[in-house]
Amino acid sequence: MNQATDWNQILRITGTVTLCMLLGRYLDFTSPVYLALFPVLAVTKARDYSWAGLVSQFRPALLASFAALITVELFSDHPYVVWALSLLLFDQLRKRATQPARIGALIMPVFNWVIVVVFAQGGSFDMVNRFKEILLSMIITLVVMKLFAMLFPPPHTPKGAPPPEKPVSYRQRMNFVVLLGLGQRFLMMVDMLSATFCMVPLILAAAQVSQDSYLKVLRVRFIAQVGGCALAMIFMVLLLGHQTMLPFYGLALGLLILAIAYQIGSTQGPDKDLHGDALLGVTLPIQLYVGPNQFGLVDTLQRGWQLTLVLLLLLTLGNLLYHQRHHEQNHHRHSGAG
């Protein structure tokens, strides 16, 4: 049975993401990328478009950013203390993610904590101003989402019973803390700020509860994120020399987002998630690297290379972690049998 195309969702996603990205580009933000990251993550995951629902969606990310800002200000001369507190936060957030929706909701708070901590290590950033931009980007995204939800209202579906909560094992918490801790520590030690955005697939992969779901996340992120970089490069080539023309740039960007939003609105299940992640993979490099005086091709190629390396490294680490777990389970089984 074919799934009916949800044109309201398609237009809601297209309008929200396009307008937010244009505002981020022309409001002279130091870091306009938040006005691609926040709207894409929010509009593809939102279930409640009431003011209270939208605010609750952004609240964890805002609190994480504020807590990270206070932490790096208090312990600016003690990076290992910052790192230790980060591990504690990661553990507590994973411990509370007892449902699939809560696992998906880990992305925004964890990523905002990491990005504030990593950029603070650079020493050349005004972190208070960066927090203000994060806050303003969230407010803009919230208002734009509400506007397009009024223009293209989502369907009123009755809320079903939430899935049962599954306690998070110590092994799952350890995997999450180890993978994220290693990733953040690496970014704190090297001057590769662009690689910070590779943490998004890392967060989701680290939160998985089985080897099958872990490998599935890596496969989907490779297709969506690396493929998204390739699609962004095609967009940049077609836009070459015209990126300063607002009407042309806005139309081209809107058509690109519409094409991906159509795939989101006309599919269900895993395919819908894949296209939602592809939208993030395409919009992030465009918002990061396309500027009045730069085309972004080299930076986007570097981002695709960094993502590929991160995913391959995660594949290796994941095989080690789950192989060790499988080995321990077999050892206990044979010990019990003996």
Side-chain angles (χ1 to χ4, degrees), residues 88-130:
L88 180 62
L89 174 75
F90 298 155
D91 178 61
Q92 292 304 305
L93 288 176
R94 183 65 184 94
K95 180 181 178 181
R96 288 165 172 75
T98 54
Q99 296 173 333
R102 293 180 183 176
I103 292 176
L106 286 172
I107 294 178
M108 286 228 284
V110 172
F111 180 75
N112 276 276
W113 173 279
V114 171
I115 201 170
V116 170
V117 169
V118 170
F119 274 64
Q121 299 300 309
S124 58
F125 298 96
D126 182 347
M127 298 311 299
V128 174
N129 182 63
R130 182 167 290 273

Side-chain angles (χ1 to χ4, degrees), residues 174-214:
M174 185 193 73
N175 288 353
F176 190 72
V177 171
V178 167
L179 290 174
L180 286 187
L182 290 174
Q184 179 176 301
R185 187 60 194 150
F186 174 78
L187 292 171
M188 291 171 69
M189 293 169 59
V190 300
D191 186 16
M192 289 179 60
L193 295 178
S194 61
T196 308
F197 294 91
C198 297
M199 290 294 290
V200 174
L202 172 57
I203 295 166
L204 267 180
Q208 298 309 305
V209 298
S210 69
Q211 186 174 20
D212 288 342
S213 61
Y214 181 91

Side-chain angles (χ1 to χ4, degrees), residues 139-176:
I139 293 172
I140 291 173
T141 301
L142 190 150
V143 172
V144 172
M145 283 183 67
K146 186 64 177 179
L147 170 65
F148 281 98
M150 294 168 61
L151 294 174
F152 308 105
H156 296 284
T157 54
K159 292 183 178 180
E165 295 190 6
K166 295 182 179 180
V168 183
S169 69
Y170 288 108
R171 169 71 67 171
Q172 292 163 0
R173 289 163 60 184
M174 185 193 73
N175 288 353
F176 190 72

Side-chain angles (χ1 to χ4, degrees), residues 19-171:
L19 181 55
C20 284
M21 289 182 67
L22 290 175
L23 288 172
R25 181 179 171 86
Y26 292 100
L27 284 177
D28 197 28
F29 278 12
T30 305
S31 184
V33 70
Y34 296 115
L35 279 172
L37 177 70
F38 292 155
V40 171
L41 288 177
V43 81
T44 54
K45 304 295 183 184
R47 298 293 180 267
D48 183 356
Y49 280 86
S50 67
W51 285 111
L54 292 174
V55 169
S56 67
Q57 190 174 7
F58 285 98
R59 187 186 301 117
L62 180 62
L63 293 176
S65 299
F66 182 71
L69 178 65
I70 297 299
T71 301
V72 296
E73 291 293 330
L74 288 176
F75 302 104
S76 57
D77 296 327
H78 304 282
Y80 278 101
V81 174
V82 175
W83 186 57
L85 292 174
S86 299
L87 299 183
L88 180 62
L89 174 75
F90 298 155
D91 178 61
Q92 292 304 305
L93 288 176
R94 183 65 184 94
K95 180 181 178 181
R96 288 165 172 75
T98 54
Q99 296 173 333
R102 293 180 183 176
I103 292 176
L106 286 172
I107 294 178
M108 286 228 284
V110 172
F111 180 75
N112 276 276
W113 173 279
V114 171
I115 201 170
V116 170
V117 169
V118 170
F119 274 64
Q121 299 300 309
S124 58
F125 298 96
D126 182 347
M127 298 311 299
V128 174
N129 182 63
R130 182 167 290 273
F131 175 75
K132 290 179 181 177
E133 287 194 357
I134 291 173
L135 175 59
L136 187 56
S137 297
M138 288 182 182
I139 293 172
I140 291 173
T141 301
L142 190 150
V143 172
V144 172
M145 283 183 67
K146 186 64 177 179
L147 170 65
F148 281 98
M150 294 168 61
L151 294 174
F152 308 105
H156 296 284
T157 54
K159 292 183 178 180
E165 295 190 6
K166 295 182 179 180
V168 183
S169 69
Y170 288 108
R171 169 71 67 171

